[in-house]
Amino acid sequence: MELNALLDLLMFVSACLLLLSGFPVAFALGGTALVFAAIGISFGEFDADFIALIPERIYGIMTNDTLLAVPLFVFMGVMLERSRLAEELLESMALLMNRVRGGLGISVTIVGALLAASTGIVGATVVTMGLLSLPTMLKRGYSPAHAGGAIAAAGTLGQIIPPSIVLILLGDQLSSAWQSAQLEMGNWSPEPLSVGDLFAGALLPGLGLVLLYIAYQTALAILKPDSVPLHQAATDGTSPTGDIQNVPLSRIMGAFLPPILLIIAVLGSILAGIATPTEAAAVGAVGATLMAGHRAGSQDTRAVYAAGIGLAGLLLLNQFFDLRLDQEDAGPVDKIAVLSASLFCGLIIWGIVVSLLRLQGQKVLQEVMQNTTRISSMIFVILIGAALFSLVFKGFEGDEYIHEFLSDLPGGKLSALILVMLVMFVLGFFLDFIEITFVVVPIVAPVLLMMDINPVWLGVMMAMNLQTSFLTPPFGFALFYLRGVAPESVKTSDIYRGVIPYVIIQIFALILLWFWPELTTWLPEVIFRSAS
């Protein structure tokens, strides 16, 4: 083995060992890269000019428009988590499903999907759902295995249902890899790959996964009725024999309408081409602030409703009119549109200011800002460390060795893809999705994309593969999150036993995507390609 290949291998193994030891991720990646770069320079196997590229890499990360969506979506998710959105959704959904056997389990799945589409943060969703619904499900007669499995599986839907932080980071990394792969193949004008493409590609598989979960829970209620009760008491203490006619319509609408409107505003604006993912993330952050402000002062809702109207009006005006202020040939209609947009902006500012003052008074805003800053800083520091790691890895010609290894595998593209998916699945037991996305994807994605693999399909397969890994015993991250908030009466073995059917569903969904990649590629083609 050549010396630079040996150093590549040792660097990767050393980084993995440091990560498994609990050493901070960013420093493990960056520190390992610098140490091995120094070793390579001393042996004459590494060009020191690669180190000079580090400031340029960092500047590129910090000025990346796509990555601006990360702190905005994190803010949206944390704000919704602190506004007790999940609690209201669960209570209302349980009332709606009161006469359905296993209805509370189905409610958990539906609420998990709504939270996934509203927040995109897996750990927070699992913990929130575990704290709110697990004690209730156990009290209503659900078996610990079924309750734990349903909650853990629903919590991981944030990995695949857009807008997902995983998809944003994967989209950024795959976009760079796609450009590099196309240039290597001689295509000097490659078709761009955006985060919006991944969002559209993941929408049908994500919703299909929700339907598969519900189908399993329905079948379980029919085949094993002892594990799930027929009548549940409503979570507000009303009679278990109550029905939907006794539930105020205003309560149902109040719980479901705001998150659904927020999902439509965020995801719909991306898919309709009205806004980029970063712009849509800003809309989501504003919407989450207004929703939390409404909850904080429900007696006076004028400012919040006015801001909601202003936000919707601004999105519509942006779709049909040119709102730039420096237009030289603006006609009367354009001027009216700009004036209307200014009025809508004033309404939005009014609502945001009122909401922020209410949240500050209840000491919610400070906690949200601290958590958002902490999570966003962690992501970007890891990204900088991973960029340094991948730079040194390429300096040792590691990308060429990976390309040769995967290309020479018997079975060609099929074997290479299976091997990469298996490696990512196993790494998902020990590493977070951020580390895998920033370390593994930049190394293997260009090689796979040069084998004529659709980048949208590859991204969705990777996201669902990681979701399956986070759910698989004994090391799945979602299981650890749930174990941390579960009552002592729920054994770890109960959680493991409960998630196994959902892991099988996940594998079945991956097989479907494998044989029918059109499930991921059809919607992006219809939305983005046909429009162009």
Side-chain angles (χ1 to χ4, degrees), residues 290-499:
L290 295 176
M291 287 173 58
H294 178 272
R295 282 194 53 83
S298 56
Q299 283 78 20
D300 185 5
T301 60
R302 292 173 299 171
V304 174
Y305 285 135
I309 293 171
L311 193 60
L314 199 59
L315 286 172
L316 290 174
L317 284 176
N318 186 58
Q319 173 70 3
F320 297 107
F321 298 98
D322 187 348
L323 301 178
R324 291 176 299 172
L325 297 176
D326 58 350
Q327 298 181 73
E328 296 181 357
D329 55 347
V333 177
D334 289 326
K335 292 180 179 179
I336 293 174
V338 170
L339 288 175
S340 301
S342 302
L343 174 62
F344 287 143
C345 286
L347 294 177
I348 294 171
I349 292 172
W350 178 33
I352 290 176
V353 170
V354 171
S355 298
L356 291 178
L357 289 175
R358 290 175 180 174
L359 295 171
Q360 178 65 24
Q362 296 188 359
K363 302 186 184 304
V364 173
L365 183 61
Q366 183 178 5
E367 184 181 1
V368 170
M369 294 301 294
Q370 287 177 344
N371 287 342
T372 301
T373 304
R374 187 181 301 112
I375 295 172
S376 301
S377 300
M378 176 196 70
I379 293 174
F380 278 91
V381 171
I382 292 174
L383 180 51
I384 291 172
L388 176 57
F389 183 88
S390 63
L391 188 65
V392 175
F393 188 83
K394 291 180 179 179
F396 283 122
E397 300 180 352
D399 52 339
E400 297 182 10
Y401 291 118
I402 294 293
H403 184 276
E404 292 177 6
F405 174 74
L406 293 178
S407 300
D408 293 340
L409 284 174
K413 177 173 68 175
L414 179 64
S415 299
L417 189 56
I418 291 176
L419 178 62
V420 169
M421 296 293 284
L422 285 175
V423 169
M424 292 183 68
F425 181 82
V426 174
L427 288 177
F429 289 154
F430 311 104
L431 305 180
D432 193 65
F433 73 88
I434 301 174
E435 300 148 28
I436 296 173
T437 302
F438 291 156
V439 176
V440 179
V441 174
I443 295 174
V444 300
V447 183
L448 294 177
L449 294 175
M450 288 177 65
M451 296 180 176
D452 194 28
I453 293 177
N454 186 284
V456 175
W457 178 75
L458 179 63
V460 175
M461 288 287 288
M462 285 181 169
M464 190 173 288
N465 184 34
L466 289 176
Q467 180 191 1
T468 308
S469 178
F470 293 168
L471 197 59
T472 302
F475 302 112
F477 276 86
L479 309 181
F480 294 147
Y481 290 136
L482 184 58
R483 175 66 275 176
V485 297
E488 294 183 1
S489 59
V490 178
K491 300 177 182 178
T492 303
S493 58
D494 292 330
I495 300 176
Y496 286 178
R497 192 168 62 253
V499 299

Side-chain angles (χ1 to χ4, degrees), residues 109 157 204-218 505:
T109 299
L157 289 171
L204 292 181
L207 295 178
L209 206 55
V210 174
L211 293 178
L212 289 174
Y213 284 179
I214 294 176
Y216 162 71
Q217 291 166 344
T218 303
I505 292 173

Side-chain angles (χ1 to χ4, degrees), residues 503-517:
V503 173
I504 294 174
I505 292 173
Q506 291 277 154
I507 295 173
F508 175 70
L510 278 169
I511 293 173
L512 287 179
L513 293 183
W514 184 280
F515 287 103
W516 287 283

